[in-house]
Amino acid sequence: FHPTLNYFSKMMVRPAEEESEAEVRREDQDNINKFARLNARLHDVRDERAVIKKSLERLDDAATELMMASGDPVLLLIGESFFDTTEEDATEFCEEEVERMQGQLESLEKEEGEILEKQTGLKKALYARFGKSIQLEDK
């Protein structure tokens, strides 16, 4: 099972009365494949963004807890290990992680915009060629 092939099979299934007589050229097939790869990446990017947003929420919660702490030693989880540290060091770590993750989020948002832009161009070309006989929208 390959997600691109699965998506491709979903894109091309249309009722017989909606099919056009347009022959699929190599260029058309390449454009369909590009669109499918972009769509798979778009879903990956959106999933990655969701994970990062959830991590940012957790970091925000941790920073709030640190603000309410009374100067006691703090256990900081890095990977699968806990480390004793000071409240200040833990706060600094949280701030650095927030900055890093926000940078990743911005990068993914930019990539999503670029993907959508490329898909729009491919949609225009493919719908102009095949009309209703091709389905490029997610359902």
Side-chain angles (χ1 to χ4, degrees):
F1 172 80
H2 190 275
T4 303
L5 296 176
N6 185 34
Y7 182 75
F8 175 71
S9 64
K10 287 181 190 175
M11 289 188 322
M12 295 305 296
V13 175
R14 300 300 267 155
E17 63 273 4
E18 293 183 14
E19 291 183 16
S20 85
E21 298 299 319
E23 184 179 325
V24 180
R25 303 173 303 204
R26 177 69 186 166
E27 174 187 349
D28 300 328
Q29 188 62 54
D30 289 344
N31 284 339
I32 292 168
N33 292 343
K34 280 182 205 173
F35 185 88
R37 282 190 303 273
L38 286 170
N39 199 57
R41 179 61 188 150
L42 179 63
H43 288 283
D44 290 345
V45 166
R46 288 178 175 166
D47 290 345
E48 287 176 45
R49 283 182 53 211
V51 168
I52 290 173
K53 285 181 180 181
K54 190 72 172 167
S55 294
L56 282 170
E57 287 176 19
R58 281 193 233 116
L59 279 170
D60 184 47
D61 292 345
T64 302
E65 289 291 324
L66 284 169
M67 281 186 236
M68 295 189 293
S70 59
D72 296 332
V74 176
L75 285 176
L76 182 63
L77 177 66
I78 299 177
E80 296 181 10
S81 301
F82 285 96
F83 297 93
D84 276 325
T85 187
T86 64
E87 190 178 318
E88 295 82 29
D89 287 343
T91 301
E92 183 180 327
F93 176 81
C94 285
E95 290 169 355
E96 289 171 359
E97 282 296 293
V98 166
E99 283 182 35
R100 184 183 66 78
M101 287 183 182
Q102 284 175 336
Q104 288 177 330
L105 201 55
E106 289 171 8
S107 174
L108 290 170
E109 287 169 354
K110 180 181 176 190
E111 184 178 354
E112 181 178 355
E114 291 168 355
I115 289 170
L116 291 170
E117 189 176 311
K118 290 175 186 176
Q119 282 186 321
T120 299
L122 289 169
K123 280 181 186 180
K124 285 179 185 176
L126 291 168
Y127 280 133
R129 175 101 169 104
F130 296 104
K132 290 184 176 184
S133 67
I134 189 167
Q135 174 60 39
L136 301 173
E137 304 300 324
D138 282 336
K139 293 192 177 197

